[in-house]
Amino acid sequence: MKKTSLNFSARAVLPSGFRAAGIIAGLKKSRKPDMALVFSDRPAALAGTFTTNQVKAATVRLDSERVAAVGVARGVVVNSGQANACTGKNGLRNAKAMAAHAAQQFGVPAEQFLVCSTGRIGVPLRMDIILPGIEKLAQSVVPGGGEAAARGIMTTDTRPKRFTVVFKASGRTCRFTGIAKGAGMIQPCMATMLAFLLTDAKVDRRAMQKALKAAVDKSFNRISVDADQSTNDTVLLFANGCAGNQTLKPGHPDWPAFVAALEGVTFRLAMEMVRDGEGARKMVTVKVQGARTPADAEAAARSVANSFLVKTSWVGSYPNWGRIMDALGYSAARVDENKVEIRYDRLLAAKNGLKAGASIAQLSKVAAQKEFTITIDLHLGRHAATVYSCDCTEEYVKINK
């Protein structure tokens, strides 16, 4: 696969053939944007990935069925403030009603519209607000509506998350744009997150689904804010072919460019979720190497990244590598404490399970940075894994009390 260099912009510039909107419908007391809609002027190939939580929101159940059975879509309508999870049969009826009402506004089949919800679990949807909101959204969608849609899906996010990149396929200029929300209940797979990925490239649907899963595994499934997992996690990818290129799939010379756009946008969105974690002040990359198996590397990295004792030590910029050793020891990974090596950025904190190298003052200086890396070498094998995490401050408790 040839290497592809692309320039990513932190904006939501919609690909050709897409329109979007975000509005204040009145679902939140704060009177902030709380609904969004994205629409494709032509049927788009559809791919998706969803939460693995056994408790799934009505929207997840509906969308996963439509991704598998229909495979094409015209749009998605989103509400923020109410999750439509643990709402029983009525919740599924409401999800279907949202999709049908949105489809009716555009004169398209109901099964070609998807629905996403985010917010409090167990709260019935305010359909008396949502249905008029859908009508307002349909009247408001414009090609320049990406920014408004990115704001309309936010919950505890402090800022919108969006990226756009341009690439070439069959000599045609194609655009790939992603918008997402997510700041809390972030723990693979996936996170309390919604992400909508749009491209005007023409892409083979089956190949696109495989590429999306691979991209999600490298991005949204690599992050953790609070070791919690949601009922509503959804990533949807739409490709409407308006760019006029030949169908992209493995073997096509421009397939690597599409994959680079997909993976680049999803990774950047995922990193923004960690940086914007509820109450977070620092982003910390946890790298584990020298593990006996891939599963061991994964388990060790997640154990450290999810430990609240470790995360609170990051708040105070104290390099408490003993807490890291503890988290490694109770993980499912095979660990020999006499072989463990820990570094803060490049500074050696522990070697062979004992204090070594840099002083507390030197390590504290690293831990005081807004972003730093903890590298752990288990010296038991050749496998590695990385998880992107953040500190846990008092503000996280205040937000979630």
Side-chain angles (χ1 to χ4, degrees), residues 251-268:
H252 190 290
D254 295 315
W255 176 251
F258 168 76
V259 171
L262 168 61
E263 293 187 349
V265 167
T266 52
F267 184 80
R268 284 165 174 79

Side-chain angles (χ1 to χ4, degrees), residues 91-353:
L92 186 57
R93 281 194 295 269
N94 284 339
K96 290 180 178 179
M98 285 178 66
H101 199 61
Q104 185 180 32
Q105 309 307 306
F106 296 95
V108 302
E111 63 269 18
Q112 291 186 12
F113 240 92
L114 296 106
V115 183
C116 286
S117 298
T118 179
R120 288 188 62 189
I121 294 171
V123 178
L125 290 182
R126 288 290 307 275
M127 297 299 284
D128 59 320
I129 295 175
I130 287 174
L131 294 182
I134 290 173
E135 294 167 11
K136 184 177 178 181
L137 283 166
Q139 296 166 4
S140 305
V141 290
V142 291
E147 291 289 331
R151 293 183 181 278
I153 64 177
M154 291 167 54
T155 49
T156 57
D157 308 66
T158 66
R159 55 186 180 270
K161 299 165 180 64
R162 66 278 197 254
F163 285 93
T164 296
V165 66
V166 173
F167 65 99
K168 291 285 188 179
S170 306
R172 302 297 183 98
T173 298
C174 303
R175 182 172 281 120
F176 193 109
T177 298
I179 65 173
K181 65 80 53 182
M185 285 183 82
I186 302 288
Q187 156 72 0
C189 302
M190 287 175 292
T192 290
M193 54 153 294
L194 303 176
F196 307 109
L197 311 172
L198 317 169
T199 183
D200 49 15
K202 186 178 182 182
V203 189
D204 178 82
R205 186 174 69 84
R206 289 183 176 83
M208 188 170 75
Q209 178 65 48
K210 291 180 180 179
L212 176 63
K213 185 181 184 305
V216 167
D217 284 343
K218 296 176 184 178
S219 56
F220 302 126
N221 286 355
R222 296 279 100 207
I223 60 177
S224 179
V225 168
D226 49 16
D228 229 315
Q229 185 189 40
S230 172
T231 57
N232 290 57
D233 312 326
T234 300
V235 179
L236 297 173
L237 170 56
F238 302 81
N240 67 11
C242 284
N245 61 287
Q246 297 173 350
T247 303
L248 294 174
K249 57 185 177 181
H252 190 290
D254 295 315
W255 176 251
F258 168 76
V259 171
L262 168 61
E263 293 187 349
V265 167
T266 52
F267 184 80
R268 284 165 174 79
L269 289 172
M271 295 305 101
E272 282 302 293
M273 289 180 189
V274 177
R275 293 186 177 100
D276 195 30
E278 290 177 343
R281 298 176 193 147
K282 299 174 184 177
M283 174 178 168
V284 183
T285 301
V286 178
K287 293 184 176 181
V288 170
Q289 59 194 37
R292 187 174 53 103
T293 66
D296 278 2
E298 186 88 2
R302 291 195 188 282
S303 186
V304 172
N306 291 338
S307 166
F308 276 92
L309 276 177
V310 173
K311 291 162 77 69
T312 52
S313 74
W314 296 338
V315 177
S317 303
Y318 187 76
N320 198 328
W321 60 268
R323 294 184 181 182
I324 295 175
M325 287 288 292
D326 177 64
L328 292 171
Y330 65 65
S331 75
R334 172 77 172 88
V335 174
D336 182 343
E337 66 177 281
N338 298 311
K339 295 183 178 181
V340 175
E341 181 177 300
I342 301 172
R343 293 180 183 271
Y344 282 66
D345 281 350
R346 295 183 179 180
L347 297 183
L348 184 65
K351 186 176 178 63
N352 298 328

Side-chain angles (χ1 to χ4, degrees), residues 39-62:
F39 181 72
S40 176
D41 291 332
R42 64 167 68 172
L46 175 66
T49 62
F50 304 91
T51 183
T52 56
N53 196 320
Q54 294 179 80
V55 179
K56 293 177 172 60
T59 53
V60 169
R61 298 187 186 281
L62 179 65

